[in-house]
Structure formats: C-alpha cells, structure tokens
Amino acid sequence: MNSGPYLNRRALMGRTAAAGLFTVPAVSALTSCASGGGDDDSVEREESTDANPFGVSADAELEVVIFDGGFGDQYALDAEKIYQGSYGTVEHVKTTEIQTRLQPRMVQGDPPDVIDNSGADAMDIAALIRNEQVLDLTELLDAPSLDDPGVTVRETLMPGTIEMGQFGSDAVYRLSYAFIVYGQWYSRTALNRLEVEYPRTWDEMLAVCEKAKQQGMAGWTYAGQYPYYFNFTLYPFIGKIGGADVLRAIDNLEPNAWRHDAVKAAFEAYYELTARGYVLQGSPGLTHEESQDEWNKYNALFIPNGSWVENEARKNTPADFDMAVGPPTSLDSSDAMPFETLWASASEPFIIPADAPNVPGGLEFLRIMLGRESARNFTELVSSLSCVRGAADGLELPPGLSSAQETLAAAGDNIVIPRLPDWYRQLNNEEIGGAVAAMMAGEIEPDEAINRCQQAADATAQDDSIQKFQHV
C-alpha cells in the first residue's frame, strides 16, 4: 500500500463512499455536474527529457483502476511494475463497478490517475467529455514511443485506434488498448461433428441450424441479459447487406435510418432463427458468462461475441473445442459488401481524468502499456490482439486468437466500425438492445422492433441534453 497524504486523501474518499456517505448519482446527474476543478495534491511536472517526455516526478505515486472483466488485470499489474522501476509506487484497484465506484469521485474532482473505463458499468464517455472531465491524449500520441524515440506513439498504433478516441473533433479522449474482432464465434469441432462448413449465406445458416436441431443442438445462444451483444454481429450484418453508409446514417441519428431495407432484411433474418426454434431455450435470461458456458458445452453452435471471449471462457472451454470466429454470415449475393466484411476495432478504453493528481504519470503509464513488451505480454496473457502494430508477430497464438487474426487479414479494407455503441451508450445498450432482445425472445416481430429502434433514435436526436456526434 502507498503512504503519505496522497494515499490518505484517496483512501479516505474510498472509505467514505463505501460507507454510504456519498450517494452514487445517476448518469443524468453526472451530465449535469461539472467536475470539482482539481485539488492541491496535483503532482507538478519535472523537466522533460528523452527518457521522461512528460516530466514525471521521480517519486510520483499513481492510482490505476482496472475493469476486472474478460482480460483480468495481470497485464496492468505487469505494466505497473515497469512504471515503479523508474517512478513512485502504484495503488492498483480492480473492479467491475467502474461507474458505481468512480462517478462520485469524478463529480467531486478526486479521480484516480488512470481508468480502464470498460464493462457494463462503464461511465458515459460522452458525458465526461461534455463536462471537461477527461484529458485530451494528443500529448501522449505525439510523444516518442517507448521502444524507438524516432517513432511517435501515434505511429505505432493499429488503424482506427485514434479514431475510436475521437468524438467530433481532433481531440483524442481515450486510448482503446485491445484490438477486438467481433463476429460469429464457433467451435470447429462442433461444425466438423455435424459435417458442415461455416455458413456463407443465410440459406446456408438456416440449413446448418436445422441440422444441428435434428441432433439436439441449438444453432445460436446469446447473452440475453446483455442483449447488445447481439449487435456485435447484427450491426456488421446490416452494413454488409446495405453498405457502410447505412451504419453511418444510424450513427448520425438520421431520420428513418433504422427503416432502411438493409435493417429490415437483417432483422427478419435474425427473427427467423427464433421463429424456427434455432435459438437455445432460456437464452433470453442468460448472462454473457452463462451463454458462453452453454456454448462451451456444445449446446449451441454460434454465439455473437468479441475476441476477449477466448480468455473469459477459458476455464470452461473443452480442450478439443478449437475455438474460431467468422464474419457475420452474408444474406445473399445481392449484399453490398463481401462475405469477409466484419466489425473490428480498438476496444477496452483507457482514460486519464482531467483532474487526475498525477497526469504526467498517467501519460507515462499509458506509454509503457503501448511499449512492445507490455503489448506482447497482453496478447500472451489474455488471448487478444493489442492496438500496437506487430506486437503479436512471432507469438504462438491460441486457436481463437489465431482465427481472429486470419479473419481480420481476410477482411482487408472491408471493416465497419459502428460508433453508436460509444457515442450513445444508453441508446445502444438499453433501447436498441431491448428491442432486439424482445424480438429474439419472440415477444415482438421485426417491424415492431425496428419501430422501437427508430423511435428511440429520434428521441435521442431531439434531446438537447445529449451531446451529438457526426461522422466527419
């Protein structure tokens, strides 16, 4: 544990919140309350050098909060050891309750220095930006990289990483550390047992699911309690059918964007899975982990997910499972984009609060994480690509990650990156997710689900309290 006034202040705040002396505000409260405006414990910068471009104080302590989800926290602990080799000690916190635990501190102006703002309880990044509570990371991107001072951090990143941190301006407010391949995850062993190939068209998908059903196996399962997981395949499916412009219109909250023919075709195709009994019974009530467990038990062929699933489901994955991922199955030959099209983007977003006591240390910690040693360690530990170019080259990868890398390479430039999930978190997770969930549970039909999505998007567009973003 750390010592001194720096830790005492933070420890007091943590204990006070835990004791219930702080009331956790709702998301709307955060959007209406600006930060407290800093404190007297802020660490001042020392003179910048080639080895210390941000002027981190030699004994500057750091507080890092990590989302304890599919990636765990060991990769962060390892990066913290590197930081401590040159600077002060690190107070490490892991939690699944990011918003619950940190939102009060953000409002009070007493945040940690680095936050892995991820998971179902992540803070609304748009609200943080609007209230000037999160730091622009351009200084980090323009700094020399850890491994080669002649190359900037910006130049080491995978395509799309910087864009995922931008919200309608050139400023970059978050660093998404993992590079995720979203798609239809499956077991090669399961398909081989059925003697079928990965379905490339929707007719082939229905035929594969029917064969599975005849042998007592469901075609699909999903995280019904977190229905936005379905969007990991549904959004790129829509883009594949109608083109990337359809997704851009949805992101931009354009009138009737959800009523595009591509959306209708995608919803009707997914609804057919439910109507024909190809979805595992009970899926609407499953958590993400429970749905993955059913999939690991060979009770379902496909699950919509991201490439963190291999690590998250590792303890329950059979040795013979041979995990793999494919792009969303195409509708038919009339699709606007090729079969290989998929959603792949930087994820697992890290932010530095604007009121962080040790901003230089936070920037240096992220620079360390973007170094080759930390990036390779991340891939080896959690079976996920990082946002650092070439960091996984030469590594022996597990089957799921190897498949993700192959699927990403096959896609080439045919990558779609929906921004609705991070521009309008509540709209995506609750309204859109809720409409899709009701449809997949058989409670409503596709037309009603589409109407709900469009009505929710229109309400968001008309709500002046919600900051709007546009593709540029």
Side-chain angles (χ1 to χ4, degrees):
M1 295 294 291
N2 295 347
S3 60
Y6 177 88
L7 176 60
N8 290 342
R9 174 179 60 83
R10 289 180 163 172
L12 175 61
M13 296 291 285
R15 286 194 291 269
T16 306
L21 299 182
F22 280 148
T23 300
V24 177
V27 173
S28 59
L30 178 60
T31 63
S32 63
C33 296
S35 68
D39 55 60
D40 295 334
D41 294 327
S42 297
V43 176
E44 294 188 6
R45 296 185 185 230
E46 295 186 349
E47 184 177 352
S48 175
T49 66
D50 290 342
N52 183 9
F54 308 118
V56 185
S57 175
D59 58 352
E61 297 166 332
L62 195 71
E63 184 183 4
V64 177
V65 178
I66 299 295
F67 170 67
D68 189 21
F71 296 137
D73 68 331
Q74 185 59 50
Y75 71 96
L77 287 166
D78 292 342
E80 289 162 13
K81 290 178 182 177
I82 299 175
Y83 177 91
Q84 291 177 126
S86 299
Y87 307 107
T89 56
V90 177
E91 181 182 353
H92 176 91
V93 179
K94 64 177 181 178
T95 180
T96 59
E97 300 176 326
I98 298 294
Q99 176 179 291
T100 301
R101 295 184 63 172
L102 298 184
Q103 189 167 294
R105 294 180 59 183
M106 297 292 286
V107 172
Q108 294 293 324
D110 181 65
D113 300 303
V114 179
I115 302 171
D116 175 12
N117 187 39
S118 188
D121 193 40
M123 292 181 289
D124 185 344
I125 183 66
L128 297 177
I129 293 170
R130 179 169 64 252
N131 290 298
E132 300 181 352
Q133 293 172 302
V134 61
L135 188 74
D136 177 4
L137 299 177
T138 298
E139 182 182 4
L140 167 67
L141 299 175
D142 293 340
S145 63
L146 194 68
D147 302 300
D148 184 352
V151 176
T152 66
V153 169
R154 184 187 302 270
E155 293 169 323
T156 68
L157 302 179
M158 291 278 282
T161 301
I162 292 172
E163 289 77 3
M164 287 300 294
Q166 293 175 324
F167 291 77
S169 71
D170 291 335
V172 180
Y173 291 105
R174 67 183 185 185
L175 187 284
S176 295
Y177 190 58
F179 199 82
I180 304 298
V181 175
Y182 302 94
Q184 291 168 185
W185 287 78
Y186 65 100
S187 159
R188 290 191 183 96
T189 301
L191 292 189
N192 290 338
R193 289 174 180 174
L194 287 174
E195 298 181 337
V196 296
E197 299 291 331
Y198 185 87
R200 296 175 64 90
T201 68
W202 206 253
D203 283 343
E204 291 177 7
M205 170 61 76
L206 296 176
V208 168
C209 289
E210 178 62 30
K211 190 166 186 179
K213 183 179 179 181
Q214 296 300 322
Q215 298 191 25
M217 186 180 190
W220 285 66
T221 188
Y222 64 97
Q225 290 194 30
Y226 304 103
Y228 57 85
Y229 269 58
F230 241 122
N231 298 343
F232 298 152
T233 54
L234 183 59
Y235 286 166
F237 188 35
I238 291 170
K240 188 178 293 191
I241 295 169
D245 285 345
V246 180
L247 292 178
R248 279 193 281 268
I250 288 173
D251 290 341
N252 290 339
L253 304 178
E254 293 180 12
N256 295 316
W258 284 96
R259 295 195 172 99
H260 193 281
D261 287 344
V263 177
K264 182 177 176 64
F267 274 51
E268 288 178 345
Y270 272 63
Y271 182 70
E272 198 165 6
L273 297 174
T274 291
R276 293 193 180 202
Y278 296 153
V279 177
L280 181 68
Q281 188 173 1
S283 290
L286 299 179
T287 66
H288 61 296
E289 291 178 332
E290 290 168 343
S291 64
Q292 290 161 189
D293 288 345
E294 294 296 332
W295 175 57
N296 282 165
K297 294 174 184 175
Y298 294 107
N299 288 333
L301 285 177
F302 301 107
I303 188 169
N305 222 311
S307 46
W308 62 79
V309 67
E310 186 165 35
N311 186 63
E312 190 170 63
R314 179 179 299 176
K315 65 180 181 180
N316 292 327
T317 302
D320 66 352
F321 197 71
D322 201 3
M323 191 179 294
V325 61
T329 295
S330 298
L331 187 64
D332 54 39
S333 60
S334 69
D335 286 355
M337 300 184 75
F339 163 74
E340 291 79 11
T341 302
L342 79 156
W343 176 3
S345 64
S347 185
E348 201 66 18
F350 280 74
I351 63 172
I352 296 177
D355 286 341
N358 187 6
V359 166
L363 291 168
E364 180 63 15
F365 175 73
L366 292 183
R367 192 172 80 110
I368 289 169
M369 285 186 61
L370 295 170
R372 186 173 178 82
E373 178 183 349
S374 293
R376 287 175 71 82
N377 183 55
F378 175 78
T379 295
E380 290 181 304
L381 284 172
V382 307
S383 299
S384 175
L385 301 174
S386 76
C387 67
V388 179
R389 292 177 185 265
D393 291 353
L395 294 179
E396 184 174 348
L397 304 178
L401 185 56
S402 178
S403 171
Q405 205 170 36
E406 293 167 2
T407 302
L408 180 62
D413 294 333
N414 296 301
I415 301 294
V416 294
I417 306 177
R419 296 305 306 271
L420 192 80
D422 51 310
W423 283 357
Y424 308 107
R425 182 179 177 83
Q426 181 173 334
L427 172 62
N428 178 75
N429 290 10
E430 298 182 20
E431 281 87 1
I432 305 302
V436 172
M439 182 182 75
M440 296 309 298
E443 298 169 359
I444 60 175
E445 296 187 354
D447 284 349
E448 175 61 22
I450 289 170
N451 285 336
R452 289 191 188 183
C453 291
Q454 188 60 59
Q455 289 168 4
D458 290 343
T460 299
Q462 295 162 13
D463 189 339
D464 292 338
S465 70
I466 298 175
Q467 186 172 356
K468 309 304 189 300
F469 305 100
Q470 295 279 317
H471 283 278
V472 294

